[in-house]
């Protein structure tokens, strides 16, 4: 079985589900003949035809509105936005219609739509191409926000997102689209949503992260191990709703927590996780929670990108700070 990249795992999941469920279709800008800006839908037009692989005009609000309409009429649309920075015109359709459909109709209708977008920095892109604003969508009642961190995770979580009866924001960390390869069986097995994944066991400190940022977090954990510090690494995967039980169990064991994310610090998902730990596990903490994040500025242009995205040394510095407490 050949190893595949994260973006190829997205394609594989879409193809599997479209083959086995005729109600699944994809739509977005240039997703047909061109296969999408990152080629996530490459080959789907030839396999499934233009009625299920729909090229749209450059109109993100319309893409989201079409997806909502299709979903309430029995289809399972997967809408692609070329970059997360382009999704904001669709926010009205997502927050006012997709997210509210089940509540508005008192359960008579749901909105089984997936809104996919590449997100995050690290590819030397211009402005509006490196957004990490997952917290904006996590704040909306009625939507899930899912972020894979590997090819296997992308395949299993996207299948679960498409099969979910309610709207899912599926954010794909484009920095690692082609960074690693894995064997990903095309067996149609979905991974559970709303569940954290423990990527590395540890006993001294809990490192919590998601998406591309797990690359640096896992490297930091390995470097810490070489210096006698045992770090447990948790992949949040679904940032709304968050599986706090797994995080709290880990923090109760280690007594220390460092949260790592690429997004700006203020109002980020890290603050939500820290607040939950403070509410439910304060007396188990041996040190104040630390956050290692991007800064409260737009993602800088490529020359300064490396200073914005948390690196291994910033994570290690935060861990050393919490280890100073008895």
């Amino acid at each position: 079985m050949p190893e595949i990249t994260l973006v190829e795992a997205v394609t594989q999941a879409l193809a599997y589900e479209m083959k086995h469920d005729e109600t699944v279709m994809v739509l977005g800008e240039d997703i047909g003949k061109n296969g999408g800006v990152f080629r996530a839908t490459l080959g789907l037009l030839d396999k499934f035809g233009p009625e299920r692989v729909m090229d749209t005009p450059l109109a993100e609000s319309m893409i989201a509105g079409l997806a909502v309409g299709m979903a309430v009429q029995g289809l399972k649309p997967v809408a692609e936005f070329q970059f997360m920075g382009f999704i904001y015109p669709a926010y009205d359709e997502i927050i006012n219609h997709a997210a509210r459909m089940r509540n508005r109709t008192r359960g008579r209708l749901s909105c089984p739509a997936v809104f996919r977008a590449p997100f995050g920095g690290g590819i030397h892109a211009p402005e509006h191409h490196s957004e990490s604003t997952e917290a904006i969508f996590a704040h909306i009642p009625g939507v899930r926000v899912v972020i894979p961190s590997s090819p296997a995770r992308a395949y299993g979580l996207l299948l679960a997102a498409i099969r979910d009866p309610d709207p899912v924001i599926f954010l794909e960390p484009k920095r690692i689209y082609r960074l690693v390869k894995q064997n990903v069986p095309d067996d149609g097995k979905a991974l559970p949503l709303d569940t954290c994944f423990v990527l590395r066991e540890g006993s001294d400190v809990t490192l919590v992260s998601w998406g591309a940022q797990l690359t640096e977090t896992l490297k930091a954990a390995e470097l810490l191990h070489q210096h006698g510090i045992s770090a447990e690494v948790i992949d949040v995967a679904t940032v709304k709703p968050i599986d706090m039980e797994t995080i709290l169990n880990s923090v109760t064991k280690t007594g220390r927590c460092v949260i790592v994310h690429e997004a700006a610090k203020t109002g980020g998902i890290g603050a939500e996780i820290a607040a939950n730990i403070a509410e439910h596990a304060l007396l188990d903490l041996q040190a104040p929670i630390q956050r290692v994040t991007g800064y409260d500025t737009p993602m800088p242009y490529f020359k300064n990108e490396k200073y914005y995205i948390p690196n291994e040394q910033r994570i290690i510095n935060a861990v050393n700070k919490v280890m100073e407490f008895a």
Side-chain angles (χ1 to χ4, degrees):
M1 178 188 307
E3 293 185 330
I4 61 174
T5 62
L6 195 154
V7 71
E8 290 169 336
V10 169
T11 312
Q12 184 169 286
L14 291 171
Y16 182 93
E17 205 62 5
M18 293 179 76
K19 180 180 178 181
H20 292 84
D21 184 347
E22 292 185 352
T23 67
V24 178
M25 54 88 63
V26 297
L27 69 158
E29 298 157 6
D30 297 326
I31 65 159
K33 290 182 179 179
N34 289 336
V37 67
F38 289 100
R39 305 297 182 259
T41 55
L42 193 65
L44 297 183
L45 178 63
D46 293 337
K47 289 182 181 176
F48 302 104
E51 291 188 351
R52 297 181 65 195
V53 182
M54 184 181 296
D55 272 323
T56 68
L58 186 67
E60 284 77 10
S61 178
M62 184 208 70
I63 294 170
L66 276 174
V68 173
M70 292 172 177
V72 299
Q73 292 299 317
L75 297 176
K76 294 179 181 176
V78 181
E80 176 178 303
F81 299 93
Q82 291 191 333
F83 292 89
M84 191 175 189
F86 301 169
I87 203 173
Y88 304 128
Y91 196 70
D92 175 55
E93 294 290 346
I94 293 171
I95 189 172
N96 282 324
H97 300 292
R100 294 169 182 258
M101 192 61 67
R102 182 178 289 280
N103 185 66
R104 173 180 295 157
T105 63
R106 302 297 185 264
R108 287 185 296 108
L109 296 175
S110 62
C111 185
V114 178
F115 302 96
R116 295 180 42 245
F119 92 117
I123 65 166
H124 297 178
E127 190 179 8
H128 292 124
H129 292 68
S130 302
E131 305 286 298
S132 294
T133 49
E134 61 268 32
I136 292 176
F137 292 96
H139 193 65
I140 304 173
V143 298
R144 280 186 168 79
V145 183
V146 178
I147 302 176
S149 63
S150 68
R153 212 86 66 213
Y155 179 80
L157 291 174
L158 182 54
L159 287 177
I162 297 172
R163 296 168 187 173
D164 193 272
D166 291 300
V168 176
I169 310 293
F170 196 84
L171 302 177
E172 298 161 9
K174 60 181 180 288
R175 178 155 59 96
I176 57 171
Y177 255 160
R178 293 180 170 83
L179 185 65
V180 295
K181 289 187 174 183
Q182 287 180 332
N183 285 317
V184 183
D186 193 13
D187 54 10
K189 290 184 179 178
L191 289 171
L193 301 176
D194 313 342
T195 299
C196 290
F197 299 89
V198 179
L199 303 187
R200 182 184 178 114
E201 301 279 351
S203 57
D204 293 325
V205 60
T206 300
L207 303 182
V208 179
S209 191
W210 51 91
Q213 200 61 66
L214 277 160
T215 304
E216 290 79 10
T217 303
L218 285 167
K219 288 179 181 175
E222 180 57 32
L223 292 170
L224 288 165
H225 174 71
Q226 295 172 15
H227 290 84
I229 298 175
S230 173
E232 185 149 299
V233 178
I234 293 178
D235 176 4
V236 177
T238 301
V239 301
K240 166 71 181 301
I242 300 171
D243 169 19
M244 281 306 303
E245 182 177 357
T246 298
I247 296 173
L248 290 171
N249 286 341
S250 178
V251 171
T252 299
K253 178 176 67 174
T254 65
R256 303 174 179 88
C257 184
V258 174
I259 304 163
V260 185
H261 62 67
E262 183 180 310
K265 188 172 189 177
T266 300
I269 301 294
E272 179 66 25
I273 294 172
N276 267 286
I277 294 172
E279 285 180 7
H280 302 291
L282 180 63
L283 299 181
D284 294 307
L285 290 174
Q286 299 181 43
I289 301 164
Q290 294 292 309
R291 286 177 288 163
V292 183
T293 72
Y295 299 100
D296 289 341
T297 68
M299 174 70 76
Y301 291 125
F302 69 92
K303 285 187 177 179
N304 291 322
E305 233 178 10
K306 62 183 178 183
Y307 300 110
Y308 183 97
I309 298 172
N311 58 26
E312 296 94 303
Q313 191 57 55
R314 285 179 61 193
I315 299 168
I316 290 171
N317 291 345
V319 171
N320 287 334
K321 193 171 182 179
V322 299
M323 292 303 295
E324 289 175 357
F325 288 80

